[in-house]
Every structure is written in C-alpha cells, then in structure tokens.
Amino acid sequence: MAAAETASGYIQHHLQNLTYGQHPVNGWGFAHNAQEAKEMGFWAFHLDTLGISVVLGLIFIFLFKAAAKRATSGQPGGLQNFVEVLVEFVDGSVKDTFHGRNALIAPLALTIFVWIFLMNLMDLVPVDWIPVAAAKIAGDEHLFFRAVPTTDPNATLGMALSVFALIIFYSIKVKGIGGFLGELTLHPFSAKNIFVKILLIPVNFLLEFVTLIAKPVSLALRLFGNLYAGELIFILIAVMFGGGILLAALAGVLQWAWAVFHLIIITLQAFIFMMLTIVYLSMAHEDSH
C-alpha cells in the first residue's frame, strides 16, 4: 500500500506545473499542491511551461540565425543543409496546400513546426532529469516542474487560439465583414425564397459556428492529448525502475522502445498542427461565395 501511495505521489508530482499566482488566502506566491494551484484561478502562471517554451523558441531563433549568417553557395555545412531541407519541406507543404497569396504563411508554418517539435522533443528527456535539476537549483526538493510544454493544455490552447485569431482576421480581411457573416449564416443550407432563407439562418449559424470553434479546440486537444499520454507512459515506466531488478530491466527495454516509437509521434504531431494551420488559413483566404 505504501509503495502504491509512493508511486501515486510520484506520478502526481510529475504531472503538476510550477504554478505562480494569487491565492485567495495566502496571496501571491507558488502553489504547494494541486488544490492551491486550482484555487489561484485563471490568472495563475505556469512558469515551467512559459520558461521552457521561451528558451526553446530562442534556441530555434539562434540556430536558424546562425545558419543564415553562415549560408554559402559553396560547400554548405551540416547546419545549413539541415535548415535548407527543413525550409524546402515546409515551403513545399505550403505551396501544395495554401491557395491564396500571403507572405506570412510559410514563415508561420516553419515556426509552428520547429517550435512544437522542440517542445515535443522534451518528452524524450528522462522524466527526472529536469525536475530534479530545477529542485536542486531552487533548493526545494518538493518543487513541481513539468518539462514538456505541450503536455500543458494552456500552451497548446494558447497556440491554437493564436491560429484562430489569424483565421478570423484573414476571413474578415479577404471576405469583408459581410462576407464572413454570410459564410456563417447562409451556408450550408440555402433557398431561393427569402423567407425560407431567413428561417435557415439560425440553423446555418449553429452548424458553421460549431465548425469554426472546433478548429482551435481540435488543434489544442489533439496535440495535448497525444503528448500527455506519451509523457504519462514515460512516468509509469520510470516508476517500474523502483520495483526491483527484473522490473528495472524490463523498464529499460520499454523505455527505449517507447522512445523510438514516440519520436515518430512528436514529429507527426508537429506536422499535423502545421498542416491544419495551413489548411485553415487557406480556407480563410477563399472568397468563392
């Protein structure tokens, strides 16, 4: 029973964010448990998610800036080759999928793919390394710290809402406010009779509004669900290392096998998020009605 409680506490500890916010009783500070984090409400900050996301974003900028500075038409280095292949891959995906004219889409797609891939890649770091290092630096062995930003729904939903804002912006810019509202109220059902058309407006709006809202929700939850499940499996495998020699040996094999398989998942999820973003923005640029 004690072992079960220890395993349960270990899992819960690794799934709790480093939360800073205003507690209704204790005021501003760090949450010491999940209940305190919940009581801090909507405006609490997950400092681990924010910090790692920013650091990985800066790494992305630094690497690509370094590749651009060292770019040569002669014999390119390994970094330049890698960046060129990646840029060509994303550019090809945009040309095949996006049918409008917008210079923002390709850089946006590249940023989304690389940044999400780097955040997902943190899932392959052994689950105890970063939390233990953070706890030692902070001098608090009970410090909460989640190293994979995309296992936090706040991060995935934040990125999805940013894409959603671009969808709304370009829908109105390309189609006009009237065209955008018409798209929401006059499709998919229509009629030549004006009275029937008016009667169909609430039905059309309900269907189209749900479809519109489903875009950021599906983007956020698909990425979060896959990475959360992957991280949870790594944590469960880590628990096995404390169960004796045989379980530890089995855990080593499982950890290696899951890491190899998960490498496909983290790449695929970054690609899917990027492709859906391109598709949604391409739909926003369509002015066929």
Side-chain angles (χ1 to χ4, degrees):
M1 183 66 179
E5 291 176 353
T6 301
S8 175
Y10 177 84
I11 293 170
Q12 291 177 10
H13 186 274
H14 277 70
L15 295 178
Q16 177 65 39
N17 285 98
L18 176 61
T19 306
Y20 181 84
Q22 186 175 23
H23 190 270
V25 176
N26 302 326
W28 287 95
F30 292 96
H32 298 95
N33 52 58
Q35 183 60 32
E36 284 190 13
K38 182 179 179 181
E39 290 170 353
M40 287 179 176
F42 178 79
W43 293 109
F45 297 94
H46 289 177
L47 298 184
D48 43 9
T49 296
L50 291 171
I52 292 180
S53 298
V54 170
V55 169
L56 293 175
L58 292 174
I59 290 174
F60 161 55
I61 293 171
F62 173 78
L63 288 177
F64 276 67
K65 184 178 180 181
K69 282 186 174 181
R70 299 173 186 173
T72 175
S73 57
Q75 185 176 0
L79 179 61
Q80 182 180 338
N81 282 327
F82 173 75
V83 170
E84 286 180 352
V85 169
L86 194 56
V87 169
E88 288 176 4
F89 165 72
V90 173
D91 188 57
S93 299
V94 172
K95 288 179 179 178
D96 292 340
T97 309
F98 185 77
H99 305 299
R101 295 177 62 86
N102 192 329
L104 174 69
I105 305 302
L108 175 65
L110 178 65
T111 301
I112 287 175
F113 179 75
V114 177
W115 198 23
I116 291 179
F117 175 79
L118 289 175
M119 288 190 282
N120 292 350
L121 192 63
M122 297 299 292
D123 213 6
L124 297 183
V125 178
V127 294
D128 284 326
W129 285 12
I130 296 178
V132 169
K136 287 184 177 180
I137 293 172
D140 180 5
E141 63 179 6
H142 301 295
L143 183 78
F144 297 113
F145 202 94
R146 286 176 73 173
V148 188
T150 42
T151 61
D152 185 351
N154 293 285
T156 59
L157 188 58
M159 290 186 289
L161 288 176
S162 299
V163 172
F164 184 63
L166 289 174
I167 293 171
I168 299 298
F169 173 77
Y170 284 114
S171 292
I172 295 175
K173 181 179 180 181
V174 173
K175 303 164 189 176
I177 187 67
F180 177 62
L181 293 177
E183 192 175 64
L184 289 177
T185 56
L186 302 178
H187 302 278
F189 303 113
S190 186
K192 294 182 179 180
N193 188 296
I194 186 65
F195 296 105
V196 176
K197 184 179 289 189
I198 292 173
L199 290 174
L200 288 173
I201 286 177
V203 178
N204 288 331
F205 179 76
L206 178 62
L207 293 173
E208 291 297 322
F209 184 74
V210 170
T211 301
L212 184 65
I213 295 299
K215 292 176 180 178
V217 173
S218 65
L219 278 175
L221 295 185
R222 180 184 292 107
L223 180 58
F224 162 71
N226 280 278
L227 270 296
Y228 184 86
E231 178 70 0
L232 185 57
I233 291 174
F234 275 124
I235 294 172
L236 291 173
I237 292 173
V239 172
M240 294 173 62
F241 281 102
I245 297 177
L246 290 178
L247 275 179
L250 177 60
V253 175
L254 290 176
Q255 188 176 49
W256 179 85
W258 181 244
V260 172
F261 176 71
H262 203 56
L263 185 60
I264 300 173
I265 294 177
I266 64 178
T267 306
L268 185 61
Q269 289 305 313
F271 175 73
I272 290 173
F273 198 103
M274 178 194 75
M275 288 303 299
L276 288 178
T277 298
I278 298 170
V279 170
Y280 292 155
L281 288 173
S282 180
M283 293 169 62
H285 282 74
E286 291 178 357
D287 189 19
S288 57
H289 302 295

